Amino acid sequence: MKRLCFPILSWMCLCALSSLVNCEDQRIPEDKLLVLTVATKETDGFRRFLRSAKHFNYTVKVLGQGEKWRGGDYMSAPGGGQKVRLLKAAVAEMKSKDQVILFIDSYDVVFASGPKELLRKFQQAKHKVVFSSESLIWPDRHLEDKYPHVREGNRFLGSGGFMGYIPNIREMVANWTGADSDSDQLFFTKVYIDPARRKALNITLDTKCRLFQNLHGALDEVVLKFEDGRVRARNVQYDTLPVILHGNGPTKLQMNYLGNYVPNSWTFETGCTVCLENLRSLSSLKESEYPLVVIGIFIQQPTPFVSVFFERLLKLQYPKNRLKLFISNQEPHHEQQVSSFLQNHGSLYLDVKSIRPEEEMDGADARDMAFDMCRKDKECDYFFNLDIEVVLKNENTLKILIKQNLPIVAPMITRVGRLWSNFWGALSADGYYARSEDYVDIVQGRRVGLWNVPYISSVYLVKASLLQAELKDYQLFTSESLDPDMAFCHNVRSKGVFMYVNNLHTFGRILSTEKYRTEHLHNDLWQIFENPLDWQERYIHENYTRMIKDKLIENPCPDVYWFPLFNDVACDHLVEEMEHFGKWSGGGNMDTRIQGGYENVPTIDIHMNQVNYEKEWQKFLLEFVAPITEKMFPGYYTKAQFDLAFVVRYKPDEQPSLRPHHDASTFTINIALNQVGIDYQGGGCRFLRYDCSIQAPRKGWALMHPGRLTHYHEGLPTTAGVRYIAVSFVDP
């Protein structure tokens, strides 16, 4: 018996090897696979489907092109019978018995791998027809008991994807006589749950999602798998890599998220691979040939730095004779700034329409009207939405967005120091904000590309052709339950239109407006806490950041340092704010504003705390003066605390000069707020101990010097005009 064992085992091994060889010989050739899909119109989702099919060299035949869709709305009720009718007609003309048909949806489908893997897994299923599977039964739950049980995996049939040999599929749909609006899912379910028909047609389900991954009911099972320059979706429940992903039912947004990566739209090795596809070049166009753009500007609440917004608008690198402006201002506080811009620059643009606060048009109505202005204009090519709180730093933003040639695209902008941006990566179950897995990486620039997202706001570009077709409804921003931006995005999503956010470039940021108050003349001065970067750009001298490197700090007297600090705007605003407040001191020794009530060396001044500016001034000193102090006086560190900070006014007929004195400070900051020779004559500061004078103070430049003991000094006479300085006694 032992002698017989080895020949028997050898014979079995040879048989097994022979079987494997035969299996390889019988592998279905890729040219025997034909993909059939139904698409009555070309949508963003359909184009995504075709791109993934082309990537893997699938052969695709599209059915129903040019037909009106009568198959119903899957989201609200069963439908899809039109697909079965078209499939029945298509396979009736196909005579090959060994050809394999893949019948698949397209608007919400992406291929994750190629025909070779698909056909191999189909053969391994060992059936003539394989349907996708689901964990949820649809559309008739009463049929659940008639479904055959499975040992492991999904039990229920999904009609959005199946494949099989032509004779079997032809026989399966031969009995279809339903209406276009009838349910394809119910039709195929009844075929499958009939034991006799299931056996005759040799049908099975892809229960473990080896071929098809339906997302509805399986979102927690699917994760992205990044590997070797490509991306797959992995089903962690069954440890499988599906070839086809289908965002069936209410999972379109999750499909869009996966489609940002699968199969190779973005990888860690290559970055964005689709960002340079289908671009629209402007480089060869004359200015008169540029697309015409309507820019919609919306002011809905008091907002800082509105004047700067309009300055940036003027710098936008785009021919102004190809721009039309629609400006909706609901805030009376900003009416003067809008009027000034239009009066000085409105004639530069092709056309301007302005909605003023007294017209009392709400935000949704104004946005609907702006869209319609572009929609009805036969020459309009794009609508560019630009909310007033947007800080658009990139002057080429409009050109960049037009070049992308997308239906709706937003430049990514963020709020400084926060993860807040103008897009959402995902939506919660009730339609509000949810954080997608990749949101932080996109916002922080670790993943750069074009991202299909469910919500954008504040700044975005819309093709006019979209407004004239899919988005032709007038009230896109109007809703009883949603704010205008959310209503707009909801309507866009419901039409199957994709919205993209672009973080390929740095575009700018968005202002914080929540704590902006309007009780002052120049309210932007108070924004150093809420919008510090914008405050710095608005008020700090352009040479400040390079003065140490470029040795711009001057030393006119011993231990006296002179450096650029404020720009002209800051100086003017501070002077105008104090004059607007108007409560200048009398210049006497008795002063109830200070501790003890007595001033030894009085000036005519207004203290920062009188205009509620002491916290902002201390922040300014800490951020912009303390670093210079620590550089010039090594080993000394300051928290920029002060008892006195004030603006002094010198006039020949009021108080022209100041007698010699020491300051009650460790060091003093003295900033010239206007220009000698233009605003006044004379003035300056003389340090008696060193017999050293600064007689031509530069506007916006600061003098920094020790206050006690060594630097006994006086204010030189102002002989004409009015001189203003801002003084701080730091670390008293």
Side-chain angles (χ1 to χ4, degrees), residues 330-357:
Q330 297 175 251
E331 180 49 56
H333 176 73
H334 294 306
E335 185 60 20
Q336 187 276 329
Q337 292 155 312
V338 175
S339 298
S340 176
F341 169 76
L342 293 179
Q343 182 177 349
N344 295 327
H345 308 290
S347 60
L348 298 174
Y349 297 90
L350 188 61
D351 189 25
V352 175
K353 181 175 180 58
S354 179
I355 306 296
R356 302 183 64 178

Side-chain angles (χ1 to χ4, degrees), residues 112 117 121 133-135 152-154 206-225 232-246 258 262:
E117 180 179 339
K121 290 180 175 180
S133 68
E134 300 185 40
S135 61
E152 185 182 10
N154 297 325
D206 177 32
T207 58
K208 295 184 181 180
C209 306
R210 300 181 73 244
L211 291 83
F212 306 96
Q213 177 65 66
N214 290 314
L215 296 180
H216 190 32
L219 292 177
D220 292 339
E221 300 173 8
V222 180
V223 298
L224 288 173
K225 176 182 173 64
R232 296 290 297 263
R234 175 172 172 251
N235 186 305
V236 296
Q237 178 77 13
Y238 306 116
D239 194 23
T240 55
L241 296 173
V243 177
I244 297 163
L245 307 179
H246 181 199
L258 295 174
V262 178

Side-chain angles (χ1 to χ4, degrees), residues 96-164:
S96 174
K97 295 182 179 180
D98 59 351
Q99 186 169 21
V100 176
I101 294 296
L102 169 64
F103 190 62
I104 192 76
D105 288 352
S106 58
Y107 293 163
D108 50 8
V109 167
V110 166
F111 287 104
S113 190
K116 182 177 181 180
E117 180 179 339
L118 180 68
L119 289 169
R120 173 173 55 82
K121 290 180 175 180
F122 170 68
Q123 283 186 282
Q124 290 171 348
K126 298 180 180 179
H127 284 73
K128 297 295 186 180
V129 179
V130 179
F131 272 87
S132 68
S133 68
E134 300 185 40
S135 61
L136 305 173
I137 186 171
W138 168 267
D140 187 351
R141 287 184 293 176
H142 298 95
L143 299 177
E144 180 176 353
D145 291 342
K146 296 185 178 181
Y147 266 92
H149 289 277
V150 296
R151 181 180 301 174
E152 185 182 10
N154 297 325
R155 183 182 171 194
F156 306 112
L157 176 143
S159 64
F162 60 86
M163 63 186 300

Side-chain angles (χ1 to χ4, degrees), residues 226 260-261 264-276 400 404 412 423 438-452 501-507:
F226 295 89
N260 282 330
Y261 298 94
N264 74 327
S265 296
W266 191 96
T267 71
F268 285 105
E269 291 83 1
T270 64
C272 180
T273 64
V274 298
C275 292
L276 299 180
I400 292 169
Q404 289 301 160
M412 188 190 77
F423 79 96
D438 56 2
Y439 178 82
V440 174
D441 281 349
I442 293 173
V443 169
Q444 295 183 343
R446 289 192 292 270
R447 300 187 189 186
V448 175
L450 290 168
W451 311 98
N452 185 347
V501 66
N502 178 332
N503 72 335
L504 292 163
H505 307 264
T506 299
F507 293 102

Side-chain angles (χ1 to χ4, degrees), residues 510-711:
I510 193 159
L511 294 169
S512 173
T513 62
E514 290 83 356
K515 296 182 180 180
Y516 186 64
R517 302 177 67 179
T518 59
E519 65 263 28
H520 300 284
L521 178 65
H522 294 295
N523 299 280
D524 295 349
L525 283 168
W526 276 259
Q527 287 294 299
I528 191 169
F529 287 106
E530 297 303 314
N531 294 289
L533 187 54
D534 298 272
W535 191 95
Q536 178 177 346
E537 290 181 355
R538 183 59 164 161
Y539 292 127
I540 296 300
H541 198 286
E542 63 180 356
N543 292 333
Y544 174 84
T545 55
R546 63 183 185 88
M547 64 179 163
I548 295 178
K549 176 184 176 183
D550 294 348
K551 299 181 179 179
L552 298 179
I553 300 177
E554 299 182 17
N555 186 203
C557 301
D559 285 330
V560 176
Y561 298 100
W562 201 14
F563 54 90
L565 188 54
F566 273 156
N567 61 22
D568 285 357
V569 174
C571 296
D572 294 344
H573 281 194
L574 198 54
V575 169
E576 291 166 9
E577 191 67 46
M578 294 305 179
E579 288 291 0
H580 178 72
F581 180 71
K583 297 180 181 180
W584 296 93
S585 66
N589 295 107
M590 303 306 295
D591 193 342
T592 58
R593 299 173 303 169
I594 63 176
Q595 188 175 2
Y598 184 85
E599 172 58 69
N600 189 42
V601 187
T603 54
I604 292 178
D605 55 46
I606 295 174
H607 290 187
M608 295 300 180
N609 60 12
Q610 289 181 261
V611 292
N612 296 316
Y613 200 58
E614 66 274 21
K615 291 181 180 179
E616 288 77 10
W617 192 257
Q618 196 266 338
K619 175 71 170 176
F620 154 68
L621 293 175
L622 188 63
E623 293 292 327
F624 299 101
V625 174
I628 308 302
T629 306
E630 294 165 8
K631 181 71 175 179
M632 296 298 100
F633 297 103
Y636 178 76
Y637 301 98
T638 177
K639 294 183 179 178
Q641 300 293 334
F642 60 86
D643 275 347
L644 286 178
F646 48 94
V647 172
V648 180
R649 182 173 72 185
Y650 291 112
K651 297 170 68 174
D653 58 351
E654 189 175 66
Q655 181 183 9
S657 60
L658 193 61
R659 66 179 176 83
H661 61 284
H662 284 293
D663 292 336
S665 67
T666 300
F667 69 93
T668 296
I669 297 296
N670 179 334
I671 308 169
L673 297 180
N674 55 352
Q675 186 62 53
V676 64
I678 297 175
D679 302 309
Y680 64 92
Q681 300 294 331
C685 181
R686 175 171 175 260
F687 295 92
L688 281 70
R689 179 184 179 93
Y690 309 107
D691 191 23
C692 182
S693 299
I694 296 96
Q695 293 184 319
R698 300 165 191 163
K699 185 177 180 179
W701 281 55
L703 282 175
M704 179 172 67
H705 60 83
R708 294 186 177 90
L709 191 61
T710 58
H711 282 65

Side-chain angles (χ1 to χ4, degrees), residues 295-528:
I295 300 181
I297 298 167
F298 301 94
I299 308 173
Q300 297 179 264
Q301 68 278 320
T303 304
F305 307 107
V306 168
S307 296
V308 183
F309 172 92
F310 285 115
E311 290 171 10
R312 290 198 178 100
L313 182 64
L314 285 169
K315 294 178 181 177
L316 197 63
Q317 294 299 300
Y318 203 86
K320 291 180 175 53
N321 61 0
R322 301 302 294 161
L323 296 175
K324 294 184 177 182
L325 300 184
F326 179 100
I327 303 178
S328 170
N329 178 24
Q330 297 175 251
E331 180 49 56
H333 176 73
H334 294 306
E335 185 60 20
Q336 187 276 329
Q337 292 155 312
V338 175
S339 298
S340 176
F341 169 76
L342 293 179
Q343 182 177 349
N344 295 327
H345 308 290
S347 60
L348 298 174
Y349 297 90
L350 188 61
D351 189 25
V352 175
K353 181 175 180 58
S354 179
I355 306 296
R356 302 183 64 178
E358 55 265 30
E359 297 183 47
E360 297 183 348
M361 180 179 292
D362 71 20
D365 290 341
R367 293 175 189 274
D368 284 331
M369 178 184 287
F371 264 30
D372 210 44
M373 176 176 165
C374 177
R375 185 184 287 119
K376 291 179 178 178
D377 187 340
K378 293 181 180 179
E379 294 185 351
C380 183
D381 296 297
Y382 293 93
F383 182 89
F384 186 45
N385 186 95
L386 191 58
D387 289 0
I388 199 70
E389 60 266 26
V390 172
V391 179
L392 206 58
K393 295 283 290 179
N394 192 326
E395 297 176 0
N396 292 304
T397 295
L398 190 50
K399 289 182 180 179
I400 292 169
L401 298 182
I402 290 174
K403 184 179 179 180
Q404 289 301 160
N405 199 23
L406 294 167
I408 302 177
V409 58
M412 188 190 77
I413 56 175
T414 60
R415 188 165 290 172
V416 176
R418 297 175 59 183
L419 290 173
W420 195 99
S421 73
N422 65 324
F423 79 96
W424 296 350
L427 295 183
S428 63
D430 55 0
Y432 289 86
Y433 171 82
R435 180 173 290 183
S436 61
E437 181 186 350
D438 56 2
Y439 178 82
V440 174
D441 281 349
I442 293 173
V443 169
Q444 295 183 343
R446 289 192 292 270
R447 300 187 189 186
V448 175
L450 290 168
W451 311 98
N452 185 347
V453 296
Y455 173 89
I456 56 173
S457 67
S458 303
V459 52
Y460 49 86
L461 186 73
V462 182
K463 280 188 175 181
S465 58
L466 199 64
L467 299 177
Q468 295 155 0
E470 288 91 338
L471 302 181
K472 62 184 178 182
D473 296 338
Y474 182 85
Q475 292 187 319
L476 292 174
F477 291 91
T478 304
S479 170
E480 294 182 0
S481 58
L482 301 174
D483 68 26
D485 284 333
M486 292 182 66
F488 167 66
C489 293
H490 171 79
N491 287 321
V492 170
R493 295 192 303 268
S494 69
K495 298 294 184 180
V497 176
F498 291 170
M499 296 174 283
Y500 293 88
V501 66
N502 178 332
N503 72 335
L504 292 163
H505 307 264
T506 299
F507 293 102
R509 54 187 177 270
I510 193 159
L511 294 169
S512 173
T513 62
E514 290 83 356
K515 296 182 180 180
Y516 186 64
R517 302 177 67 179
T518 59
E519 65 263 28
H520 300 284
L521 178 65
H522 294 295
N523 299 280
D524 295 349
L525 283 168
W526 276 259
Q527 287 294 299
I528 191 169

